[in-house]
Amino acid sequence: GAPKPGTAVAILQEVAKANPGFRAVGTFYVTRDMFGKATPEEKAQMLLWLKEHGFDVGNHTRDHLNLRGKSKKQVNAEVAAGHRLITDLIETDPVTLALPYGNQPDGKEWGRKGSSGKVSYDYGGVFLAGYTPAASPFNKNFDPLGIPRIRSMDKVGECARFCSTA
């Protein structure tokens, strides 16, 4: 019922409480380990809690496999399996995909839209693993198939300006 102290959700809620006007929101990308939750009931409870508290749940694929070099069929199967992982637990389709390791498949479009078996997906955006802020969706340089996302990394090297601890 309440996030553990020191977790991303707890920190966002603390900042929102201390700063009126700041909204505690974010997207949590899940894989089969679902943040260490073991049972389907625990996983569903966690995803529903996030949803009910204004957070999004996104697809990070089921197994977090590198999609670069995989066939279209393999990419579709892995992305669809991650999509189903979420939709089997809560009645909400994820609207974005975060590519494992930030690696795009050989066909950039394969991660955004496809199907495998009875599962189909059509995402509004596909996130890479980057360290720079993304262009605005209204900017001519915005690429919905390659949106950089802020990584959770220390303030060193290329991450000195834009990674999470910066």
Side-chain angles (χ1 to χ4, degrees):
K4 290 182 183 177
T7 62
V9 172
I11 292 167
L12 285 167
Q13 288 181 326
E14 289 168 15
V15 171
K17 187 176 181 180
N19 298 277
F22 178 85
R23 294 174 40 229
V25 296
T27 303
F28 289 84
Y29 291 96
V30 296
T31 60
R32 79 165 59 209
D33 78 346
M34 203 77 64
F35 305 112
K37 298 299 180 191
T39 68
E41 294 79 19
E42 288 177 315
K43 293 175 181 183
Q45 181 183 24
M46 180 193 61
L47 295 183
L48 284 170
W49 188 97
L50 287 169
K51 180 181 166 190
E52 289 169 359
H53 288 84
F55 296 93
D56 286 328
V57 176
N59 186 356
H60 200 33
T61 74
R62 181 186 60 203
D63 300 314
H64 200 266
L65 300 176
N66 186 347
L67 300 179
R68 184 177 291 149
K70 302 277 193 260
S71 70
K72 181 178 182 179
K73 184 177 179 178
Q74 290 171 307
V75 171
N76 289 163
E78 186 62 20
V79 175
H83 190 91
R84 185 169 181 188
L85 184 72
I86 296 164
T87 58
D88 280 354
L89 295 169
I90 60 174
E91 294 182 14
T92 301
D93 284 330
V95 296
T96 58
L97 168 72
L99 295 165
Y101 311 103
N103 291 331
Q104 290 179 320
D106 294 345
K108 279 176 67 171
E109 183 71 20
W110 301 347
R112 188 189 78 75
K113 186 174 183 177
S115 64
S116 181
K118 295 180 181 180
V119 179
S120 62
Y121 57 90
D122 186 356
Y123 297 126
V126 177
F127 287 80
L128 307 170
Y131 60 89
T132 59
S136 163
F138 301 102
N139 185 300
K140 65 179 178 159
N141 295 322
F142 178 75
D143 178 6
L145 299 178
I147 306 167
R149 59 185 159 103
I150 302 298
R151 296 188 303 187
S152 297
M153 298 197 56
D154 291 330
K155 190 177 174 178
V156 295
E158 293 179 330
C159 278
R161 289 183 55 211
F162 297 117
C163 286
S164 63
T165 57

